[in-house]
Amino acid sequence: MKKRILTLITGLFAAATALVQAQVNDDFEIVFTDDMGKLEYIELPEAMTKEVDSLLALYHSRTYLEMDTLCESNDVNPEYSDEVYIDRLQRMPTVMEMPYNRIVRQFIDRYCSRLRRTVSVMLGRTNFYMPIFEQALESYNLPLELKYLPVIESSLNPTAVSRAGATGLWQFMLATGKQYGLRVNSLVDDRRDPIRASYAAAQYLRDLYKIFGDWTLVIAAYNCGPENVNRAIRRAGGSMDYWTIYPYLPSETRGYVPAFIAANYVMTYYCEHNICPMITHLPAHTDTVEVSRDVNLQQIADVCGTDLGMLRELNPQYRRDIVNGSSEPSLIRMPIPVINRFIELEDSVYAYKASTLLSKRSLVSVNERVASTSSENVSRSQSSRYGRSRGSSASRSSSRYSKGSSSRSSNGSSSRSSKGSSSRYGKNSKQSSSKSSGKRSSRRRR
């Protein structure tokens, strides 16, 4: 009876553990059985593991997006046959191929089921960012479907930071960002600038295409780096087909291209899956003003009577609200009415709370009187301390040597002490000399 109870408890514990493990896997990876009957684990792009709350908390989302209460969606993801997905993907106006397979289907299902609310928010945010992406891609004559890369990279969050440190809408790593002219220092991170980062990403994608000549491989290299893609190509016998080198790619990259295809699909056919975009209220038209002096966004907000959160959202590259215009001329994006007020009140803006909001001091004075007085005290204390120690050591040495000199001319305990010391050092010296001579003679014998 006890054995049965123990077996039952063990079984329940194992089932609970398996359920928790399945939940963990389901949150961060897709698990399915391949053609050989083995379980395959495909890591989800990090943006697909984020909660929708992080997007809703952004200023633009809170200020300019709202749910469409008139949307008659029943919030149910309908089932379609493989043929329907194949037909829809082929009808999309793209230069890049958008093939269908069961891995792509897994990612489509993920977007259309668990990530439905995230897709709804991203559809609303596309009104802010897609014109920027399209302009940058068009300037380098790249396929416009690449504009959906930030969907799987950052979920259209300009301040997103990955576990590896990739930052911004396009998730640039530090070294790659600097390679393409993006400034990164304590005050500025251009990887967060939607415009600068978009043009840098377009240039990077163009350079990757010069290497591989295949857009699917370019997407894979954008995720894991060209070195990993070249390694996979060599291991696959030189094949330049993504689906052939697929098993030799890192786990996340194996899911990256299917996720990209799924992102293009869901951003095109969201209505067919009962996903309602959030309604977008576009902000006032914006432009940039160039400054050549340091200024804090708080100064502009207070003097020009505008919202600090709005300025931060329009200028996410300024990490601490400080625009370091004195280092190099810098651009600040603002609504047109705010720019007009800034130009009228520019001197007042720079002067407003400058000592507190721009806390770096350019010149400081040293309290030399206190410093000299304290140094004199230190000198006196050091000299007195070292003077006493030197005197005591000198007196000790003089007394020692005077005792030694008296031992040479007199008898008694001092002479015994002298004999003891001489015999002690003498023994050692003799032993060492005899040992060394013995070693020399033994060497000669060898």
Side-chain angles (χ1 to χ4, degrees):
M1 185 65 179
K2 290 182 178 179
K3 289 184 178 180
R4 289 180 182 176
I5 294 174
L6 182 60
T7 303
L8 179 61
I9 293 173
T10 304
L12 290 173
F13 179 77
T17 303
L19 181 61
V20 172
Q21 184 64 39
Q23 181 65 39
V24 171
N25 289 342
D26 195 40
D27 288 340
F28 297 99
E29 58 191 3
I30 290 176
V31 184
F32 64 95
T33 306
D34 61 16
D35 295 332
M36 305 297 293
K38 296 181 179 180
L39 287 178
E40 182 173 353
Y41 300 87
I42 299 178
E43 186 178 346
L44 292 172
E46 192 170 338
M48 295 184 72
T49 67
K50 302 294 184 182
E51 297 293 334
V52 69
D53 294 343
S54 61
L55 285 178
L56 291 172
L58 297 174
Y59 180 87
H60 265 164
S61 299
R62 290 185 285 106
T63 309
Y64 302 115
L65 296 183
E66 66 174 333
M67 297 299 298
D68 187 357
T69 56
L70 300 179
C71 183
E72 298 180 357
S73 170
N74 56 12
D75 204 32
V76 175
N77 181 31
E79 292 286 335
Y80 295 104
S81 65
D82 291 344
E83 289 72 23
V84 171
Y85 288 113
I86 294 170
D87 178 64
R88 288 175 179 172
L89 287 168
Q90 290 304 307
R91 286 192 285 111
M92 290 169 58
T94 63
V95 172
M96 301 171 62
E97 66 174 12
M98 300 285 171
Y100 176 82
N101 54 40
R102 60 181 180 167
I103 304 173
V104 173
R105 173 64 181 269
Q106 291 273 354
F107 280 91
I108 292 176
D109 289 344
R110 172 72 60 143
Y111 272 125
C112 295
S113 55
R114 293 189 59 176
L115 299 177
R116 292 174 65 83
R117 290 187 62 210
T118 300
V119 172
S120 178
V121 177
M122 287 192 296
L123 286 167
R125 293 180 67 82
T126 56
N127 293 287
F128 304 129
Y129 297 118
M130 288 304 159
I132 298 173
F133 300 161
E134 291 171 349
Q135 184 63 44
L137 295 169
E138 189 69 30
S139 66
Y140 285 91
N141 197 27
L142 303 182
L144 292 184
E145 50 267 32
L146 291 168
K147 65 186 178 182
Y148 294 123
L149 263 181
V151 168
I152 60 174
E153 284 286 347
S154 62
S155 296
L156 301 184
N157 179 0
T159 60
V161 180
S162 74
R163 292 185 296 269
T167 300
L169 289 163
W170 295 87
Q171 290 289 280
F172 270 104
M173 293 296 289
L174 181 63
T176 309
K178 288 193 171 184
Q179 181 182 348
Y180 284 89
L182 299 179
R183 299 168 300 169
V184 180
N185 55 50
S186 296
L187 298 180
V188 181
D189 190 345
D190 282 339
R191 296 176 296 173
R192 301 185 180 198
D193 185 332
I195 297 176
R196 283 178 177 263
S198 296
Y199 279 88
Q203 187 178 353
Y204 183 38
L205 290 166
R206 180 203 61 183
D207 291 347
L208 289 174
Y209 188 76
K210 290 178 181 179
I211 297 173
F212 296 105
D214 178 272
W215 283 114
T216 308
L217 293 181
V218 166
I219 296 299
Y222 190 89
N223 175 252
C224 67
E227 300 84 3
N228 284 319
V229 173
N230 280 324
R231 188 180 300 113
I233 291 171
R234 289 194 298 270
R235 295 182 64 187
S239 174
M240 297 292 290
D241 178 65
Y242 170 82
W243 299 102
T244 301
I245 69 172
Y246 171 86
Y248 307 105
L249 291 168
S251 174
E252 183 179 340
T253 310
R254 292 201 298 271
Y256 193 78
V257 170
F260 174 74
I261 296 172
N264 274 266
Y265 173 90
V266 74
M267 301 299 278
T268 304
Y269 295 107
Y270 55 87
C271 283
E272 284 76 1
H273 291 268
N274 295 324
I275 298 176
C276 294
M278 294 191 76
I279 296 176
T280 306
H281 303 285
L282 289 176
H285 183 62
T286 63
D287 203 345
T288 57
V289 61
E290 185 178 272
V291 296
S292 56
R293 296 169 61 182
D294 290 355
V295 63
N296 193 301
L297 297 181
Q298 183 74 60
Q299 294 175 290
I300 299 174
D302 290 351
V303 175
C304 297
T306 191
D307 187 359
L308 177 61
M310 179 267 296
L311 292 177
R312 287 172 173 167
E313 183 78 9
L314 292 175
N315 303 275
Q317 67 272 28
Y318 299 119
R319 306 169 76 171
R320 292 170 172 81
D321 293 346
I322 297 175
V323 183
N324 191 206
S326 62
S327 176
E328 61 178 303
S330 302
L331 298 177
I332 307 175
R333 181 166 294 278
M334 294 181 274
I336 297 296
V338 180
I339 289 180
N340 293 335
R341 288 197 296 274
F342 176 82
I343 293 173
E344 293 174 4
L345 305 170
E346 189 168 0
D347 291 336
S348 299
V349 170
Y350 290 130
Y352 177 75
K353 292 185 178 180
S355 59
T356 56
L357 295 175
L358 300 172
S359 57
K360 287 171 61 177
R361 296 176 296 174
S362 58
L363 183 67
V364 295
S365 59
V366 179
N367 193 339
E368 296 179 356
R369 182 175 181 181
V370 174
S372 60
T373 304
S374 60
S375 62
E376 288 174 4
N377 293 334
V378 170
S379 299
R380 291 194 192 99
S381 62
Q382 287 181 345
S383 61
S384 61
R385 184 173 71 251
Y386 288 119
R388 284 195 301 271
S389 62
R390 285 169 185 159
S392 59
S393 63
S395 61
R396 285 196 300 268
S397 61
S398 62
S399 62
R400 185 174 66 247
Y401 285 114
S402 63
K403 285 181 181 178
S405 61
S406 63
S407 66
R408 293 190 191 97
S409 59
S410 63
N411 298 323
S413 60
S414 60
S415 64
R416 286 196 300 269
S417 142
S418 174
K419 286 179 182 178
S421 63
S422 64
S423 63
R424 183 171 68 249
Y425 293 111
K427 277 183 181 177
N428 291 338
S429 61
K430 287 178 182 177
Q431 287 173 356
S432 60
S433 62
S434 63
K435 286 179 181 177
S436 60
S437 61
K439 287 180 181 178
R440 286 196 297 270
S441 61
S442 62
R443 289 194 191 102
R444 284 196 291 270
R445 284 197 296 273
R446 292 194 190 100

